[in-house]
Amino acid sequence: MKSILSTLRFVLVTCLCAVLLFSSVVNTANAAPNPNQPIKGEATEPAKTYERTAKDAIDRGGLRSIEEVTERAQNGAPNEIQGTAGIEDMKRPSNTGASSIESKIKNSLEKAQDKAGDAAESAKNSMR
């Protein structure tokens, strides 16, 4: 009886080790890089533009005049060094479905006003 249990235990441990080994191989195979995604460490075009602009600013050796900064800001650059790099990825009201805080407050106040009006009307009807 003891030899059967030890043989069964050996078989179970061997099967468990095989399952663990197989599952780690499958996980590794699934973690292969996607050819459609940029490779880690590879810079995108906006990042390259940002880097070029930053290097130019450093090479000039300091801040520009206020006129140049104002002119660049009027051309739609979101910040001084980044310029327009990544501007299409920025979140703003025109490219999101989010509502503004003003519209949320206005809707809440309208609901509260409607409820208050309903409560006042209900109170008048109950007094009759």
Side-chain angles (χ1 to χ4, degrees), residues 9-121:
R9 187 181 303 146
F10 176 75
V11 170
L12 286 175
V13 168
T14 306
C15 289
L16 181 63
C17 289
V19 167
L20 289 173
L21 181 66
F22 178 73
S23 66
S24 68
V25 168
V26 170
N27 284 339
T28 305
N30 288 339
N34 185 351
N36 296 330
Q37 292 179 344
I39 298 171
K40 186 177 181 179
E42 179 181 337
T44 60
E45 191 56 40
K48 290 177 183 176
T49 303
Y50 171 73
E51 183 180 4
R52 232 178 286 119
T53 307
K55 283 183 181 179
D56 291 343
I58 291 169
D59 290 343
R60 277 197 305 270
L63 297 173
R64 297 196 266 175
S65 69
I66 191 68
E67 291 82 20
E68 289 179 275
V69 173
T70 305
E71 178 185 332
R72 186 174 176 137
Q74 289 173 348
N75 291 334
N79 87 29
E80 180 59 25
I81 297 297
Q82 184 176 354
T84 57
I87 196 165
E88 63 277 350
D89 297 330
M90 291 178 65
K91 302 289 185 216
R92 54 187 176 278
S94 63
N95 68 357
T96 60
S99 57
S100 67
I101 190 71
E102 291 87 5
S103 65
K104 288 181 182 180
I105 292 172
K106 183 179 177 183
N107 290 339
S108 298
L109 288 175
E110 287 174 358
K111 287 180 186 178
Q113 189 176 11
D114 291 342
K115 286 184 181 181
D118 291 344
E121 195 171 311

